[in-house]
Amino acid sequence: MGFNCVRLTWALDLMTNDTLAHNVTVKQSFERLNLSDDVLGIQTHNPKILNLPIFNAFQEVVSNLGQNGVMVILDNHLTTPGWCCSDNDLDAFFGYPNFDPAIWAKGLGKMASLFRNVTNVVGMSLRNEPRGTRDYPDLWFRFMPKGGEAVHAANPEVLVIISGIDYDTNLSFLRDRFFNVSFTNKLVFEQHWYSFSDGRDSWQKHNSNDFCAKIIEKVTHNGGFLLGRGFPLFLTEFGANLRSGDINGNRYMNCLVAWAAENDLDWAVWALTGDYYLRTGQKHMVETFGVLDPNWKDVANSTYLQKLSGIQLPFRGPGLQSKKLLFHPTTGLCVTNNLSHNLPSLRLEQCRKAESLTFNPSEGILWSNKMCAEAPDAVGQKVKLGVGNKCSKLGQTSATHMHLSFKTTNNGSLLCLDVDERDNSIVANPCKCLTMDASCDPASQWFKVL
């Protein structure tokens, strides 16, 4: 499926409760929870781990991922094993009844030490989604660096990954205050972003162009600004419901993928999971955000996976040629030329196969191999490539700047680049959703200039 890393969650009790970690086997744990069918399944498919203590089984998962070339981020998700997260959790923030900062830092150091020589463990995320009524930056600045120092002292090789507050949606307090630790060049900040981060059904209630621009501005203010200051920003949670017509999720995902591509972000999607052994008392609850089907073999939604494929490969970085691409967020594909056609035109292709394009917004000419895009004569026609005075000037229309529009040659009407789903060719159609109408979806006409 193209993934090369797993953000593997662990509870602090795994490092602080030796009875749980070392004296309870996988089999005993499942039997205590009355999950006898799952015991039989493990006996059939993974008998090697059935009688291992819980921590040793955790080590076996990490080892197996490494044998298959998969990196691991160890994510301290919560204190006690269970489902996360809500405001009234007893381990929501530093100083809550189940979140002793000293015990936490000790547990982080112990986990870092135990995986010190495990080469596929490349980073440790200090705590998932700090939140709650004591969710104050002062407490965050007091304790979060201590967790980072504990990891660094125990394992100088791993990245130290720092989450913000407000369910890890807010790092804005770093604008005016420095995060002071003894180490450099291994500090990473993480941020979460879901469709419901800005209110339930919010994407369905607003015009997508205006709302996407507004929320990207907010996400940038709350954490994206760190990229401009030279810090890596790791988008460690995002996702959408893959098993229903999730209008909010679909619109938000198109916006998020465009932002991730533009900033060449590393990321972890929630979640791989097809279903859960046990979640909040319910056996085999389906994970509606899960990339896998509940059978753990099939992909739940191939269109979603295709969308993600567009941001799986880096667009820039060490050893990479700088490529100018026109990215189509809703498909995860990039615009390239179709020279095999009788009249050279534009189409969508996997980004790694796409030809470099040149588009300077101030000039407005889209070039491909010294040929330029021409405005068609009528709605629905393919966008052709030509030379010389036939070049058409494209404008970045709408608040997102992701609508690329030009005027037709016959009557001067405004058309936008669009995609013909039958053959992925680029065509010109009337521009969608430029007004305040919240009922339409402009995704097919969104193109991000990278």
Side-chain angles (χ1 to χ4, degrees):
M1 296 189 296
F3 300 109
N4 64 359
C5 186
V6 168
R7 177 177 177 251
L8 190 63
T9 63
W10 60 280
L12 190 61
D13 278 359
L14 198 61
M15 290 293 97
T16 60
N17 184 339
D18 286 344
T19 298
L20 171 70
H22 300 291
N23 296 336
V24 177
T25 66
V26 171
K27 182 179 180 182
Q28 289 169 337
S29 178
F30 275 78
E31 287 177 341
R32 289 178 182 181
L33 295 169
N34 194 29
L35 298 170
S36 55
D37 288 346
D38 294 304
V39 172
L40 293 175
I42 297 170
Q43 179 66 58
T44 301
H45 298 288
N46 288 291
K48 179 179 178 180
I49 70 168
L50 192 60
N51 292 305
L52 289 179
I54 288 175
F55 177 69
N56 297 104
F58 186 84
Q59 287 178 306
E60 185 64 28
V61 171
V62 174
S63 175
N64 193 271
L65 288 167
Q67 292 166 28
N68 286 278
V70 180
M71 295 177 285
V72 171
I73 302 290
L74 297 175
D75 164 52
N76 177 224
H77 211 68
L78 69 181
T79 298
T80 303
W83 181 249
C84 181
C85 301
S86 68
D87 285 339
N88 57 2
D89 290 337
L90 296 180
D91 63 349
F93 202 68
F94 299 114
Y96 273 51
N98 289 351
F99 195 176
D100 184 312
I103 294 175
W104 166 74
K106 183 178 179 181
L108 286 173
K110 186 177 179 182
M111 177 66 82
S113 178
L114 289 168
F115 285 95
R116 178 166 180 156
N117 296 314
V118 180
T119 55
N120 69 308
V121 174
V122 298
M124 287 190 62
S125 180
L126 301 191
R127 189 70 172 192
N128 176 70
E129 297 195 349
R131 62 205 176 277
T133 55
R134 301 179 205 173
D135 193 354
Y136 302 132
D138 285 346
L139 282 176
W140 188 94
F141 276 108
R142 179 180 174 186
F143 295 117
M144 197 63 78
K146 293 180 180 180
E149 295 288 3
V151 169
H152 176 64
N155 188 341
E157 298 301 316
V158 294
L159 298 170
V160 175
I161 304 169
I162 312 291
S163 56
I165 61 174
D166 299 334
Y167 291 84
D168 199 10
T169 63
N170 188 358
L171 288 155
S172 63
F173 46 84
L174 288 171
R175 286 178 169 274
D176 305 313
R177 191 168 172 181
F178 185 68
F179 187 80
N180 190 24
V181 287
S182 63
F183 51 87
T184 58
N185 299 326
K186 54 179 284 183
L187 188 63
V188 178
F189 292 99
E190 63 175 307
Q191 191 168 6
H192 294 179
W193 178 15
Y194 288 101
S195 66
F196 49 79
S197 299
D198 301 289
R200 299 282 176 180
D201 299 328
S202 54
W203 288 84
Q204 193 171 349
K205 295 175 182 176
H206 297 89
N207 174 274
S208 291
N209 285 308
D210 297 322
F211 199 64
C212 176
K214 176 183 176 181
I215 299 304
I216 285 180
E217 183 178 346
K218 176 183 175 181
V219 170
T220 301
H221 176 271
N222 284 355
F225 70 92
L226 290 164
L227 292 165
R229 298 188 179 183
F231 288 103
L233 184 66
F234 188 12
L235 183 62
T236 49
E237 276 192 37
F238 67 97
N241 189 334
L242 308 185
R243 292 165 174 81
S244 68
D246 183 6
I247 295 175
N248 282 284
N250 291 338
R251 293 182 177 183
Y252 134 89
M253 277 295 300
N254 292 325
C255 183
L256 179 145
V257 168
W259 180 71
E262 180 182 26
N263 291 284
D264 198 32
L265 294 181
D266 286 355
W267 48 267
V269 63
W270 187 275
L272 178 69
T273 316
D275 69 350
Y276 297 89
Y277 302 115
L278 186 70
R279 173 176 155 181
T280 56
Q282 182 176 335
K283 295 181 180 180
H284 298 287
M285 180 188 291
V286 173
E287 173 53 86
T288 58
F289 282 44
V291 171
L292 290 177
D293 250 2
N295 64 19
W296 286 78
K297 293 180 181 180
D298 300 320
V299 171
N301 187 318
S302 58
T303 301
Y304 184 78
L305 202 60
Q306 174 65 56
K307 186 193 300 283
L308 293 181
S309 73
I311 54 174
Q312 283 181 324
L313 295 177
F315 290 110
R316 55 184 179 267
L320 295 176
Q321 282 188 329
S322 179
K323 294 182 70 175
K324 288 290 184 181
L325 295 171
L326 203 57
F327 179 65
H328 189 243
T330 192
T331 60
L333 301 175
C334 289
V335 177
T336 189
N337 56 47
N338 187 12
L339 297 177
S340 62
H341 198 265
N342 292 333
L343 293 173
S345 58
L346 295 171
R347 62 184 172 84
L348 293 180
E349 180 60 90
Q350 291 180 349
C351 292
R352 65 176 178 270
K353 297 179 180 179
E355 298 284 343
S356 294
L357 298 173
T358 301
F359 179 76
N360 184 333
S362 61
E363 178 194 37
I365 307 298
L366 178 61
W367 294 93
S368 176
N369 282 349
K370 299 183 180 179
M371 304 180 76
C372 60
E374 299 179 11
D377 297 325
V379 170
Q381 289 187 350
K382 288 181 170 60
V383 177
K384 298 177 293 186
L385 291 170
V387 293
N389 59 8
K390 293 185 177 181
C391 299
S392 299
K393 186 169 183 177
L394 286 161
Q396 289 182 296
T397 308
S398 78
T400 61
H401 302 295
M402 286 194 284
H403 276 85
L404 299 182
S405 63
F406 42 53
K407 293 181 179 179
T408 59
T409 54
N410 59 350
N411 62 9
S413 60
L414 193 68
L415 298 179
C416 280
L417 297 188
D418 205 340
V419 177
D420 187 334
E421 296 180 354
R422 295 172 297 182
D423 60 1
N424 274 351
S425 61
I426 305 301
V427 296
N429 282 320
C431 300
K432 296 179 180 178
C433 313
L434 299 185
T435 67
M436 295 303 293
D437 183 11
S439 64
C440 63
D441 184 2
S444 68
Q445 294 185 346
W446 274 359
F447 295 89
K448 172 59 70 173
V449 181
L450 305 182

PDB file of all heavy atoms in Angstrom, residues 208-237:
ATOM      1  N   SER A 208     -16.728  25.327   0.291  1.00  0.00           N
ATOM      2  CA  SER A 208     -15.449  24.629   0.457  1.00  0.00           C
ATOM      3  C   SER A 208     -14.250  25.503   0.128  1.00  0.00           C
ATOM      4  O   SER A 208     -13.200  25.404   0.779  1.00  0.00           O
ATOM      5  CB  SER A 208     -15.412  23.371  -0.408  1.00  0.00           C
ATOM      6  OG  SER A 208     -16.314  22.408   0.072  1.00  0.00           O
ATOM      7  N   ASN A 209     -14.366  26.348  -0.893  1.00  0.00           N
ATOM      8  CA  ASN A 209     -13.235  27.203  -1.246  1.00  0.00           C
ATOM      9  C   ASN A 209     -12.880  28.148  -0.110  1.00  0.00           C
ATOM     10  O   ASN A 209     -11.723  28.234   0.311  1.00  0.00           O
ATOM     11  CB  ASN A 209     -13.571  28.020  -2.503  1.00  0.00           C
ATOM     12  CG  ASN A 209     -13.516  27.180  -3.748  1.00  0.00           C
ATOM     13  OD1 ASN A 209     -12.534  26.494  -4.003  1.00  0.00           O
ATOM     14  ND2 ASN A 209     -14.580  27.219  -4.534  1.00  0.00           N
ATOM     15  N   ASP A 210     -13.877  28.841   0.406  1.00  0.00           N
ATOM     16  CA  ASP A 210     -13.632  29.801   1.480  1.00  0.00           C
ATOM     17  C   ASP A 210     -13.217  29.103   2.770  1.00  0.00           C
ATOM     18  O   ASP A 210     -12.324  29.560   3.480  1.00  0.00           O
ATOM     19  CB  ASP A 210     -14.878  30.656   1.719  1.00  0.00           C
ATOM     20  CG  ASP A 210     -15.242  31.495   0.505  1.00  0.00           C
ATOM     21  OD1 ASP A 210     -14.323  32.002  -0.159  1.00  0.00           O
ATOM     22  OD2 ASP A 210     -16.444  31.621   0.208  1.00  0.00           O
ATOM     23  N   PHE A 211     -13.882  27.981   3.082  1.00  0.00           N
ATOM     24  CA  PHE A 211     -13.603  27.302   4.343  1.00  0.00           C
ATOM     25  C   PHE A 211     -12.222  26.655   4.332  1.00  0.00           C
ATOM     26  O   PHE A 211     -11.499  26.709   5.327  1.00  0.00           O
ATOM     27  CB  PHE A 211     -14.685  26.258   4.623  1.00  0.00           C
ATOM     28  CG  PHE A 211     -14.747  25.842   6.068  1.00  0.00           C
ATOM     29  CD1 PHE A 211     -15.079  26.760   7.053  1.00  0.00           C
ATOM     30  CD2 PHE A 211     -14.469  24.533   6.443  1.00  0.00           C
ATOM     31  CE1 PHE A 211     -15.143  26.381   8.390  1.00  0.00           C
ATOM     32  CE2 PHE A 211     -14.534  24.154   7.771  1.00  0.00           C
ATOM     33  CZ  PHE A 211     -14.870  25.085   8.752  1.00  0.00           C
ATOM     34  N   CYS A 212     -11.841  26.060   3.213  1.00  0.00           N
ATOM     35  CA  CYS A 212     -10.506  25.463   3.111  1.00  0.00           C
ATOM     36  C   CYS A 212      -9.434  26.525   3.316  1.00  0.00           C
ATOM     37  O   CYS A 212      -8.475  26.319   4.073  1.00  0.00           O
ATOM     38  CB  CYS A 212     -10.338  24.779   1.757  1.00  0.00           C
ATOM     39  SG  CYS A 212      -8.683  24.098   1.457  1.00  0.00           S
ATOM     40  N   ALA A 213      -9.578  27.663   2.658  1.00  0.00           N
ATOM     41  CA  ALA A 213      -8.599  28.742   2.818  1.00  0.00           C
ATOM     42  C   ALA A 213      -8.539  29.217   4.267  1.00  0.00           C
ATOM     43  O   ALA A 213      -7.454  29.455   4.817  1.00  0.00           O
ATOM     44  CB  ALA A 213      -8.950  29.899   1.892  1.00  0.00           C
ATOM     45  N   LYS A 214      -9.715  29.340   4.890  1.00  0.00           N
ATOM     46  CA  LYS A 214      -9.790  29.808   6.277  1.00  0.00           C
ATOM     47  C   LYS A 214      -9.116  28.819   7.232  1.00  0.00           C
ATOM     48  O   LYS A 214      -8.348  29.213   8.119  1.00  0.00           O
ATOM     49  CB  LYS A 214     -11.253  29.999   6.667  1.00  0.00           C
ATOM     50  CG  LYS A 214     -11.484  30.393   8.114  1.00  0.00           C
ATOM     51  CD  LYS A 214     -12.980  30.496   8.415  1.00  0.00           C
ATOM     52  CE  LYS A 214     -13.217  30.789   9.894  1.00  0.00           C
ATOM     53  NZ  LYS A 214     -14.673  30.861  10.200  1.00  0.00           N
ATOM     54  N   ILE A 215      -9.385  27.524   7.041  1.00  0.00           N
ATOM     55  CA  ILE A 215      -8.843  26.529   7.969  1.00  0.00           C
ATOM     56  C   ILE A 215      -7.348  26.322   7.755  1.00  0.00           C
ATOM     57  O   ILE A 215      -6.596  26.117   8.720  1.00  0.00           O
ATOM     58  CB  ILE A 215      -9.610  25.194   7.843  1.00  0.00           C
ATOM     59  CG1 ILE A 215     -11.082  25.407   8.194  1.00  0.00           C
ATOM     60  CG2 ILE A 215      -8.999  24.130   8.738  1.00  0.00           C
ATOM     61  CD1 ILE A 215     -11.319  26.012   9.568  1.00  0.00           C
ATOM     62  N   ILE A 216      -6.886  26.383   6.519  1.00  0.00           N
ATOM     63  CA  ILE A 216      -5.436  26.295   6.283  1.00  0.00           C
ATOM     64  C   ILE A 216      -4.728  27.458   6.965  1.00  0.00           C
ATOM     65  O   ILE A 216      -3.653  27.288   7.550  1.00  0.00           O
ATOM     66  CB  ILE A 216      -5.132  26.257   4.778  1.00  0.00           C
ATOM     67  CG1 ILE A 216      -5.484  24.876   4.213  1.00  0.00           C
ATOM     68  CG2 ILE A 216      -3.654  26.577   4.511  1.00  0.00           C
ATOM     69  CD1 ILE A 216      -5.224  24.721   2.737  1.00  0.00           C
ATOM     70  N   GLU A 217      -5.342  28.629   6.924  1.00  0.00           N
ATOM     71  CA  GLU A 217      -4.772  29.780   7.633  1.00  0.00           C
ATOM     72  C   GLU A 217      -4.696  29.503   9.135  1.00  0.00           C
ATOM     73  O   GLU A 217      -3.694  29.816   9.801  1.00  0.00           O
ATOM     74  CB  GLU A 217      -5.622  31.022   7.362  1.00  0.00           C
ATOM     75  CG  GLU A 217      -5.083  32.290   7.981  1.00  0.00           C
ATOM     76  CD  GLU A 217      -5.928  33.508   7.663  1.00  0.00           C
ATOM     77  OE1 GLU A 217      -6.773  33.415   6.754  1.00  0.00           O
ATOM     78  OE2 GLU A 217      -5.748  34.555   8.327  1.00  0.00           O
ATOM     79  N   LYS A 218      -5.736  28.881   9.675  1.00  0.00           N
ATOM     80  CA  LYS A 218      -5.748  28.545  11.103  1.00  0.00           C
ATOM     81  C   LYS A 218      -4.708  27.487  11.434  1.00  0.00           C
ATOM     82  O   LYS A 218      -3.961  27.617  12.421  1.00  0.00           O
ATOM     83  CB  LYS A 218      -7.146  28.048  11.501  1.00  0.00           C
ATOM     84  CG  LYS A 218      -7.247  27.580  12.937  1.00  0.00           C
ATOM     85  CD  LYS A 218      -8.634  27.034  13.246  1.00  0.00           C
ATOM     86  CE  LYS A 218      -8.701  26.454  14.650  1.00  0.00           C
ATOM     87  NZ  LYS A 218     -10.040  25.891  14.974  1.00  0.00           N
ATOM     88  N   VAL A 219      -4.641  26.417  10.631  1.00  0.00           N
ATOM     89  CA  VAL A 219      -3.672  25.345  10.869  1.00  0.00           C
ATOM     90  C   VAL A 219      -2.243  25.882  10.772  1.00  0.00           C
ATOM     91  O   VAL A 219      -1.357  25.490  11.542  1.00  0.00           O
ATOM     92  CB  VAL A 219      -3.902  24.187   9.871  1.00  0.00           C
ATOM     93  CG1 VAL A 219      -2.770  23.175   9.936  1.00  0.00           C
ATOM     94  CG2 VAL A 219      -5.235  23.500  10.153  1.00  0.00           C
ATOM     95  N   THR A 220      -2.027  26.797   9.842  1.00  0.00           N
ATOM     96  CA  THR A 220      -0.705  27.408   9.702  1.00  0.00           C
ATOM     97  C   THR A 220      -0.372  28.253  10.926  1.00  0.00           C
ATOM     98  O   THR A 220       0.746  28.196  11.448  1.00  0.00           O
ATOM     99  CB  THR A 220      -0.649  28.268   8.435  1.00  0.00           C
ATOM    100  OG1 THR A 220      -0.927  27.445   7.289  1.00  0.00           O
ATOM    101  CG2 THR A 220       0.724  28.908   8.264  1.00  0.00           C
ATOM    102  N   HIS A 221      -1.344  29.010  11.406  1.00  0.00           N
ATOM    103  CA  HIS A 221      -1.130  29.827  12.602  1.00  0.00           C
ATOM    104  C   HIS A 221      -0.842  28.951  13.814  1.00  0.00           C
ATOM    105  O   HIS A 221      -0.006  29.294  14.655  1.00  0.00           O
ATOM    106  CB  HIS A 221      -2.360  30.693  12.879  1.00  0.00           C
ATOM    107  CG  HIS A 221      -2.271  31.495  14.144  1.00  0.00           C
ATOM    108  ND1 HIS A 221      -2.690  31.000  15.373  1.00  0.00           N
ATOM    109  CD2 HIS A 221      -1.781  32.741  14.401  1.00  0.00           C
ATOM    110  CE1 HIS A 221      -2.464  31.891  16.315  1.00  0.00           C
ATOM    111  NE2 HIS A 221      -1.926  32.962  15.759  1.00  0.00           N
ATOM    112  N   ASN A 222      -1.537  27.814  13.912  1.00  0.00           N
ATOM    113  CA  ASN A 222      -1.417  26.959  15.098  1.00  0.00           C
ATOM    114  C   ASN A 222      -0.218  26.027  15.078  1.00  0.00           C
ATOM    115  O   ASN A 222       0.114  25.441  16.107  1.00  0.00           O
ATOM    116  CB  ASN A 222      -2.687  26.124  15.267  1.00  0.00           C
ATOM    117  CG  ASN A 222      -3.840  26.933  15.827  1.00  0.00           C
ATOM    118  OD1 ASN A 222      -3.675  28.096  16.171  1.00  0.00           O
ATOM    119  ND2 ASN A 222      -5.005  26.328  15.912  1.00  0.00           N
ATOM    120  N   GLY A 223       0.425  25.848  13.932  1.00  0.00           N
ATOM    121  CA  GLY A 223       1.575  24.938  13.896  1.00  0.00           C
ATOM    122  C   GLY A 223       2.358  24.977  12.608  1.00  0.00           C
ATOM    123  O   GLY A 223       3.576  24.770  12.610  1.00  0.00           O
ATOM    124  N   GLY A 224       1.677  25.218  11.493  1.00  0.00           N
ATOM    125  CA  GLY A 224       2.357  25.200  10.210  1.00  0.00           C
ATOM    126  C   GLY A 224       3.467  26.227  10.093  1.00  0.00           C
ATOM    127  O   GLY A 224       4.417  26.040   9.310  1.00  0.00           O
ATOM    128  N   PHE A 225       3.404  27.298  10.892  1.00  0.00           N
ATOM    129  CA  PHE A 225       4.436  28.334  10.857  1.00  0.00           C
ATOM    130  C   PHE A 225       5.814  27.790  11.229  1.00  0.00           C
ATOM    131  O   PHE A 225       6.839  28.376  10.867  1.00  0.00           O
ATOM    132  CB  PHE A 225       4.063  29.481  11.801  1.00  0.00           C
ATOM    133  CG  PHE A 225       4.145  29.131  13.263  1.00  0.00           C
ATOM    134  CD1 PHE A 225       5.309  29.361  13.991  1.00  0.00           C
ATOM    135  CD2 PHE A 225       3.063  28.555  13.917  1.00  0.00           C
ATOM    136  CE1 PHE A 225       5.386  29.040  15.333  1.00  0.00           C
ATOM    137  CE2 PHE A 225       3.132  28.226  15.267  1.00  0.00           C
ATOM    138  CZ  PHE A 225       4.296  28.469  15.974  1.00  0.00           C
ATOM    139  N   LEU A 226       5.858  26.658  11.955  1.00  0.00           N
ATOM    140  CA  LEU A 226       7.136  26.078  12.362  1.00  0.00           C
ATOM    141  C   LEU A 226       7.980  25.656  11.167  1.00  0.00           C
ATOM    142  O   LEU A 226       9.213  25.647  11.244  1.00  0.00           O
ATOM    143  CB  LEU A 226       6.893  24.889  13.294  1.00  0.00           C
ATOM    144  CG  LEU A 226       6.344  25.249  14.683  1.00  0.00           C
ATOM    145  CD1 LEU A 226       5.777  24.019  15.375  1.00  0.00           C
ATOM    146  CD2 LEU A 226       7.428  25.898  15.534  1.00  0.00           C
ATOM    147  N   LEU A 227       7.317  25.298  10.070  1.00  0.00           N
ATOM    148  CA  LEU A 227       8.061  24.921   8.870  1.00  0.00           C
ATOM    149  C   LEU A 227       8.918  26.083   8.382  1.00  0.00           C
ATOM    150  O   LEU A 227      10.059  25.886   7.957  1.00  0.00           O
ATOM    151  CB  LEU A 227       7.085  24.487   7.772  1.00  0.00           C
ATOM    152  CG  LEU A 227       6.322  23.189   8.028  1.00  0.00           C
ATOM    153  CD1 LEU A 227       5.144  23.065   7.057  1.00  0.00           C
ATOM    154  CD2 LEU A 227       7.242  21.981   7.897  1.00  0.00           C
ATOM    155  N   GLY A 228       8.372  27.278   8.456  1.00  0.00           N
ATOM    156  CA  GLY A 228       9.117  28.459   8.031  1.00  0.00           C
ATOM    157  C   GLY A 228      10.270  28.797   8.949  1.00  0.00           C
ATOM    158  O   GLY A 228      11.155  29.577   8.580  1.00  0.00           O
ATOM    159  N   ARG A 229      10.267  28.209  10.145  1.00  0.00           N
ATOM    160  CA  ARG A 229      11.356  28.436  11.095  1.00  0.00           C
ATOM    161  C   ARG A 229      12.375  27.303  11.094  1.00  0.00           C
ATOM    162  O   ARG A 229      13.247  27.236  11.959  1.00  0.00           O
ATOM    163  CB  ARG A 229      10.789  28.637  12.501  1.00  0.00           C
ATOM    164  CG  ARG A 229       9.881  29.859  12.597  1.00  0.00           C
ATOM    165  CD  ARG A 229       9.479  30.162  14.029  1.00  0.00           C
ATOM    166  NE  ARG A 229       8.624  31.336  14.098  1.00  0.00           N
ATOM    167  CZ  ARG A 229       8.170  31.850  15.233  1.00  0.00           C
ATOM    168  NH1 ARG A 229       8.504  31.301  16.398  1.00  0.00           N
ATOM    169  NH2 ARG A 229       7.399  32.926  15.217  1.00  0.00           N
ATOM    170  N   GLY A 230      12.228  26.384  10.128  1.00  0.00           N
ATOM    171  CA  GLY A 230      13.229  25.343   9.963  1.00  0.00           C
ATOM    172  C   GLY A 230      12.990  24.077  10.749  1.00  0.00           C
ATOM    173  O   GLY A 230      13.843  23.189  10.779  1.00  0.00           O
ATOM    174  N   PHE A 231      11.812  23.948  11.396  1.00  0.00           N
ATOM    175  CA  PHE A 231      11.510  22.738  12.154  1.00  0.00           C
ATOM    176  C   PHE A 231      10.678  21.770  11.307  1.00  0.00           C
ATOM    177  O   PHE A 231       9.780  22.191  10.588  1.00  0.00           O
ATOM    178  CB  PHE A 231      10.723  23.066  13.421  1.00  0.00           C
ATOM    179  CG  PHE A 231      11.527  23.735  14.484  1.00  0.00           C
ATOM    180  CD1 PHE A 231      11.402  25.098  14.706  1.00  0.00           C
ATOM    181  CD2 PHE A 231      12.418  23.007  15.261  1.00  0.00           C
ATOM    182  CE1 PHE A 231      12.139  25.731  15.689  1.00  0.00           C
ATOM    183  CE2 PHE A 231      13.167  23.637  16.249  1.00  0.00           C
ATOM    184  CZ  PHE A 231      13.038  24.996  16.459  1.00  0.00           C
ATOM    185  N   PRO A 232      10.939  20.474  11.409  1.00  0.00           N
ATOM    186  CA  PRO A 232      10.044  19.505  10.777  1.00  0.00           C
ATOM    187  C   PRO A 232       8.696  19.501  11.498  1.00  0.00           C
ATOM    188  O   PRO A 232       8.633  19.616  12.717  1.00  0.00           O
ATOM    189  CB  PRO A 232      10.756  18.158  10.982  1.00  0.00           C
ATOM    190  CG  PRO A 232      12.149  18.491  11.383  1.00  0.00           C
ATOM    191  CD  PRO A 232      12.074  19.820  12.072  1.00  0.00           C
ATOM    192  N   LEU A 233       7.616  19.402  10.711  1.00  0.00           N
ATOM    193  CA  LEU A 233       6.270  19.275  11.261  1.00  0.00           C
ATOM    194  C   LEU A 233       5.684  17.967  10.754  1.00  0.00           C
ATOM    195  O   LEU A 233       5.607  17.740   9.550  1.00  0.00           O
ATOM    196  CB  LEU A 233       5.386  20.446  10.842  1.00  0.00           C
ATOM    197  CG  LEU A 233       3.982  20.474  11.446  1.00  0.00           C
ATOM    198  CD1 LEU A 233       4.039  20.691  12.958  1.00  0.00           C
ATOM    199  CD2 LEU A 233       3.132  21.565  10.797  1.00  0.00           C
ATOM    200  N   PHE A 234       5.305  17.111  11.672  1.00  0.00           N
ATOM    201  CA  PHE A 234       4.858  15.754  11.381  1.00  0.00           C
ATOM    202  C   PHE A 234       3.340  15.726  11.609  1.00  0.00           C
ATOM    203  O   PHE A 234       2.877  15.930  12.727  1.00  0.00           O
ATOM    204  CB  PHE A 234       5.597  14.811  12.331  1.00  0.00           C
ATOM    205  CG  PHE A 234       5.426  13.338  12.090  1.00  0.00           C
ATOM    206  CD1 PHE A 234       4.854  12.842  10.942  1.00  0.00           C
ATOM    207  CD2 PHE A 234       5.885  12.433  13.050  1.00  0.00           C
ATOM    208  CE1 PHE A 234       4.715  11.474  10.746  1.00  0.00           C
ATOM    209  CE2 PHE A 234       5.761  11.066  12.856  1.00  0.00           C
ATOM    210  CZ  PHE A 234       5.172  10.584  11.706  1.00  0.00           C
ATOM    211  N   LEU A 235       2.574  15.510  10.558  1.00  0.00           N
ATOM    212  CA  LEU A 235       1.111  15.423  10.669  1.00  0.00           C
ATOM    213  C   LEU A 235       0.765  14.002  11.107  1.00  0.00           C
ATOM    214  O   LEU A 235       0.564  13.119  10.289  1.00  0.00           O
ATOM    215  CB  LEU A 235       0.473  15.766   9.320  1.00  0.00           C
ATOM    216  CG  LEU A 235      -1.051  15.803   9.248  1.00  0.00           C
ATOM    217  CD1 LEU A 235      -1.621  16.880  10.160  1.00  0.00           C
ATOM    218  CD2 LEU A 235      -1.508  16.027   7.809  1.00  0.00           C
ATOM    219  N   THR A 236       0.704  13.789  12.424  1.00  0.00           N
ATOM    220  CA  THR A 236       0.648  12.419  12.943  1.00  0.00           C
ATOM    221  C   THR A 236      -0.750  11.833  13.042  1.00  0.00           C
ATOM    222  O   THR A 236      -0.885  10.641  13.324  1.00  0.00           O
ATOM    223  CB  THR A 236       1.319  12.326  14.332  1.00  0.00           C
ATOM    224  OG1 THR A 236       0.820  13.366  15.172  1.00  0.00           O
ATOM    225  CG2 THR A 236       2.821  12.458  14.213  1.00  0.00           C
ATOM    226  N   GLU A 237      -1.780  12.637  12.861  1.00  0.00           N
ATOM    227  CA  GLU A 237      -3.134  12.069  12.790  1.00  0.00           C
ATOM    228  C   GLU A 237      -4.015  12.915  11.878  1.00  0.00           C
ATOM    229  O   GLU A 237      -4.080  14.140  12.032  1.00  0.00           O
ATOM    230  CB  GLU A 237      -3.801  11.968  14.172  1.00  0.00           C
ATOM    231  CG  GLU A 237      -3.438  10.729  14.950  1.00  0.00           C
ATOM    232  CD  GLU A 237      -4.324  10.529  16.166  1.00  0.00           C
ATOM    233  OE1 GLU A 237      -5.535  10.823  16.083  1.00  0.00           O
ATOM    234  OE2 GLU A 237      -3.803  10.075  17.204  1.00  0.00           O
TER     235      GLU A 237
END
